[in-house]
Amino acid sequence: MPSQAEKLEAHARHLLDAFIRLRERYSLLEPMLFDPEVPKLRGSGAQARGFLTLRHSLFLSCAQDIAKLTLDSDKRTPSIKGLMAALEDMTVCKTFEQRFAIWESPSVEIETDPEIIEALKRMEARQQAGRRAQFSEIMARLRGNWVTLSQEPYLAGFLTIRDKVAAHTEVHLVADKYQFVDIGTLGVKWSDIRRAIDTMQSIVEDLGLVIRNAGFAWEMLDEQLTRASKAFWSVPKSAA
């Protein structure tokens, strides 16, 4: 039976994987929203309907991912909310702090000179104190970013899109007619997707640091996604 720490590590790892997939989808959506050349070259004429369909599908997918990766409460589902709730347990948090701060030091084990051993122990104690302070800083930043994200008005809009448009299709009686949920009334802007992703990325990164003691090469991912997006949306020379 996996320990709670092992379960949280697995959830943090899968949260990262799912967030990367969200980043991949948004890298295709963003030029459709904010690069005027993309709709001009790929969203007009015979391609117009396909362009609008793809844009709508990517938007719904991104909105759904933001909602589920942020707010899902199911214990089987990796989410920021679930991991943050787990870290509020002081015993759990202390376990990860210990793992973050205390590293194996083989040099002490193989050393035989008592003075050198004591010097190495003092050095390790200072390093542990520094890592504990770093852990506290990360946790403070993590909690602050989570409070900010969880209170964003657009998050409720994304949740409504997930629950009533993307995952389920609800209709409501409006002026004697049954109609779909009007996304335009939810107060969600195109730019809110980018804002949510930016804050989520900081949180996902910090969760990886405190739970898995592992970072991620975000700059490399940015370069890869930018390159892939440009290749996808560029007009082939033969068609130019």
Side-chain angles (χ1 to χ4, degrees), residues 105-122:
S105 184
S107 58
V108 175
E109 297 175 2
I110 63 176
E111 187 56 60
T112 57
D113 188 316
E115 291 186 3
I116 295 178
I117 291 174
E118 285 303 311
L120 290 172
K121 286 182 177 179
R122 288 194 297 272

Side-chain angles (χ1 to χ4, degrees), residues 26 29-30 32-34 52 55-56 58-60 158 183 187-196:
Y26 184 69
L29 175 62
E30 188 172 38
M32 304 176 84
L33 304 177
F34 300 113
L52 293 176
R55 187 180 69 180
H56 184 68
L58 285 171
F59 169 74
L60 291 183
F158 288 137
I183 295 177
V188 174
K189 302 186 292 292
W190 293 129
S191 59
D192 289 335
I193 301 177
R194 177 80 254 181
R195 291 175 59 202

Side-chain angles (χ1 to χ4, degrees), residues 75-216:
K75 293 182 179 180
R76 299 165 297 180
T77 306
S79 72
I80 293 172
K81 181 179 180 179
L83 290 173
M84 291 302 300
L87 288 173
E88 289 306 311
D89 184 316
M90 293 307 297
T91 301
V92 172
C93 192
K94 196 67 177 177
T95 297
F96 287 118
E97 180 185 345
Q98 290 289 95
R99 294 167 62 167
F100 187 91
I102 300 175
W103 298 357
E104 294 292 333
S105 184
S107 58
V108 175
E109 297 175 2
I110 63 176
E111 187 56 60
T112 57
D113 188 316
E115 291 186 3
I116 295 178
I117 291 174
E118 285 303 311
L120 290 172
K121 286 182 177 179
R122 288 194 297 272
M123 184 184 302
E124 176 60 22
R126 288 194 297 271
Q127 291 174 344
Q128 285 186 21
R131 289 192 288 267
R132 290 184 191 280
Q134 184 184 8
F135 184 90
S136 296
E137 291 174 4
I138 296 171
M139 283 300 303
R141 182 173 66 228
L142 190 51
R143 291 188 176 106
N145 283 333
W146 170 233
V147 168
T148 298
L149 179 61
S150 62
Q151 293 178 350
E152 288 285 3
Y154 60 67
L155 204 56
F158 288 137
L159 186 61
T160 299
I161 291 170
R162 194 278 298 268
D163 291 343
K164 300 185 178 183
V165 180
H168 308 279
T169 304
E170 286 194 10
V171 292
H172 298 270
L173 185 62
V174 179
D176 298 327
K177 291 184 179 180
Y178 283 97
Q179 300 180 7
F180 293 123
V181 173
D182 183 358
I183 295 177
T185 65
L186 300 178
V188 174
K189 302 186 292 292
W190 293 129
S191 59
D192 289 335
I193 301 177
R194 177 80 254 181
R195 291 175 59 202
I197 287 175
D198 286 344
T199 306
M200 288 173 69
Q201 180 166 306
S202 178
I203 293 173
V204 169
E205 179 175 19
D206 284 343
L207 285 170
L209 289 173
V210 300
I211 294 176
R212 300 174 56 231
N213 203 6
F216 186 79

Side-chain angles (χ1 to χ4, degrees), residues 23 201 217-227:
R23 285 286 315 272
Q201 180 166 306
W218 295 108
E219 290 184 1
M220 182 180 295
L221 178 66
D222 291 341
E223 293 173 1
Q224 292 171 347
L225 294 182
T226 298
R227 188 163 56 247

